[in-house]
Amino acid sequence: MTTSHAAAALTARAQEVSSEIVTDILALVHHETGSYDLSGLAAGLDLLRELTVHRLGRPDHEHRYPGGECGDTLTLTYTGTGPGHVALVGHYDTVWPTGTLAGWEQPEPEGDGDGREKLSGPGIFDMKTGLAQGIWALKLARESGAPVPTVTFLFNGDEEIGSLSSRPVIEEVAQKVDVTLVLEPTAHGAVKTARKGSGIFQVTATGIEAHAGLAPQDGASAITALSEFVLAAAAVAAPEKGTTINTGLIKGGSATNVVAGKATAGIDIRITSQAEQDRVDAEFDAIEVSDPRVGIEIVRDWNRPPMTLNAASAPLLDLAREVAREQGRELSDTAVGGASDANFVAALGLPVLCGMGAVGDGAHAQGEFIYPDTVPAQTALVAGLLGRLAQPLRG
């Protein structure tokens, strides 16, 4: 069978089983797995494993890594018929707390005249569709009769909160395989070859409590000082350089009639280069508040390094584009502001592509959705790429 005929057959087969793939997607979505719901995460991972075994059979190797205060990480390895080894990485946790599904409404078809169907649900776009598509991609690649690589699935339950437990496992697996494909959603159909690095800073202001009416002069307000710090921190942002700073959480004080003795803020920082990371660190250190009696403590967690299209990943992108052309479409790539587990792999200088999953929109927003008519093509793309990676990638 010629390459073009094989690609057409794979695409047609993906179309035939599209409704089954969507059924698996919805099964995952209907089981809520918020990042902080440990029981929900445990049951959700059990369901994901059950679904994988149902479609692919029992793995040749598997290991479940306890996550502690985070969701567990599961690796399932299926031995291939070719010498290559590919990791398919995806997270099963979502930003949505348990109970969100009950009030979730399905969107109407788009009002642009074509009535294109959408499917919506907590985590459907980010990223349960990618998980199901990845499982089916290996199934279809196997069914094609062509050689397939050994595939290790890595499912982690803490990506949305920084992959605090799973990062060492991700890095270990990435160093043992030839290629890593991350099943995060696409950017309107494009793969993601560059992502911002991210930092999560906790800033604590410690002042002096006093009665707000009887002796306000004896107090040193932690809230006032923290407010000054937050405003100064916002000014450190440099959007033209890709650096954004957002204070997303703030709390403090004990009562309205007490000068606040303590206040804290959680600050999200996104950067595109090490130079910007160094600049942000230096400028945060230089921030001063007006009341010298208030102490400021900054706890930094530079969670993910910036991701760029490294030399190892460029040939992988070329191969993915070639597979897409064989299947009748052009594949573009793009840079995005969000970070993912692909950042860790890219920072090791290893080949990785991100955004191999869903086509839709609305990540982390009410109404996040996918276009179900794109499920076959996305599944076929990963399946076709797996077939080409039965031999180790050469740069």
Side-chain angles (χ1 to χ4, degrees), residues 87 169-180 345 348 350:
V169 184
I170 294 165
E171 293 176 333
E172 178 184 358
V173 168
Q175 292 177 86
K176 291 180 177 178
V177 302
D178 301 303
V179 163
T180 299
V345 182
L348 295 172
L350 300 171

Side-chain angles (χ1 to χ4, degrees), residues 21 25 30 42 56 61 84 90-91 100 108-109 163 170 182 187 190 209 241 245 270 286 334 346 364 380 386:
I21 305 173
I25 291 168
H30 290 157
L56 298 173
H61 305 282
H91 66 88
T100 300
E108 296 295 326
S163 299
I170 294 165
V182 180
E209 290 187 338
K241 297 179 181 178
I245 296 174
R270 307 293 170 121
T334 191
H364 297 191
L386 287 177

Side-chain angles (χ1 to χ4, degrees), residues 215-232:
Q217 69 281 357
D218 293 340
S221 174
I223 288 179
T224 298
L226 187 63
S227 299
E228 294 173 356
F229 187 97
V230 165
L231 291 173

Side-chain angles (χ1 to χ4, degrees), residues 252-278:
S254 57
T256 57
N257 63 347
V258 177
V259 176
K262 182 166 286 188
T264 61
I267 303 178
D268 177 280
I269 304 169
R270 307 293 170 121
I271 46 95
T272 57
S273 68
Q274 183 63 48
E276 275 299 280
Q277 179 176 321
D278 294 342

Side-chain angles (χ1 to χ4, degrees), residues 50-69:
E50 178 183 324
L51 189 153
T52 307
V53 171
H54 175 63
R55 298 302 182 187
L56 298 173
R58 292 192 175 277
D60 297 292
H61 305 282
E62 71 175 285
H63 191 85
R64 187 161 178 156
Y65 300 83
E69 296 182 356

Side-chain angles (χ1 to χ4, degrees), residues 35-161:
S35 298
Y36 297 102
D37 179 2
L38 290 181
S39 61
L41 288 166
L45 184 54
D46 289 343
L47 173 63
L48 182 54
R49 182 193 178 279
E50 178 183 324
L51 189 153
T52 307
V53 171
H54 175 63
R55 298 302 182 187
L56 298 173
R58 292 192 175 277
D60 297 292
H61 305 282
E62 71 175 285
H63 191 85
R64 187 161 178 156
Y65 300 83
E69 296 182 356
C70 303
D72 292 349
T73 299
L74 178 67
T75 57
L76 305 173
T77 298
Y78 290 86
T79 302
T81 53
H85 193 170
V86 177
L88 293 179
V89 175
H91 66 88
Y92 61 93
D93 67 317
T94 78
V95 299
W96 302 104
T98 300
T100 300
L101 184 62
W104 199 279
E105 296 183 2
Q106 288 298 315
E108 296 295 326
E110 287 189 323
D112 56 6
D114 66 3
R116 192 176 183 189
E117 182 186 5
K118 297 177 180 177
L119 287 177
S120 184
I124 195 168
F125 179 60
D126 185 13
M127 58 165 285
K128 293 186 175 182
T129 292
L131 298 176
Q133 289 177 172
I135 294 165
W136 274 90
L138 179 55
K139 181 176 174 61
L140 297 184
R142 283 172 155 187
E143 289 179 356
S144 72
V148 294
T150 294
V151 171
T152 294
F153 290 94
L154 188 154
F155 302 130
N156 61 320
D158 60 350
E159 191 275 346
E160 295 292 7
I161 55 174

